[in-house]
Amino acid sequence: MNNWIVKLVLMNCAVVVALYYRWSHGAPIVTLAIFGVILLLLINVLVPLTRKKPSPTKSK
């Protein structure tokens, strides 16, 4: 498994746990849903975009 996939899974879990924690302490559900969608979209789009691409090899 690639290192960036592990990071992606861990970041998604961290967002879900943080949102659950705020929900269990009485935060408004609409606000949590908005922030959850924004954060999960940012994580799932930006992490794959920032991973290092293999550099092309020079052929003679």
Side-chain angles (χ1 to χ4, degrees):
M1 188 179 291
N2 294 338
N3 191 22
W4 69 274
I5 294 175
V6 174
K7 289 180 184 179
L8 186 67
V9 169
L10 289 174
M11 283 190 261
N12 282 320
C13 289
V15 168
V16 170
V17 168
L19 291 173
Y20 176 76
Y21 175 79
R22 295 299 299 160
W23 173 76
S24 67
H25 283 81
I29 292 180
V30 174
T31 306
L32 290 177
I34 293 169
F35 280 117
V37 167
I38 292 170
L39 288 174
L40 290 172
L41 281 174
L42 282 174
I43 288 172
N44 291 315
V45 171
L46 291 179
V47 170
L49 289 177
T50 59
R51 68 186 178 121
K52 292 183 180 177
K53 306 262 191 279
S55 60
T57 57
K58 295 181 182 178
S59 60
K60 292 183 178 182

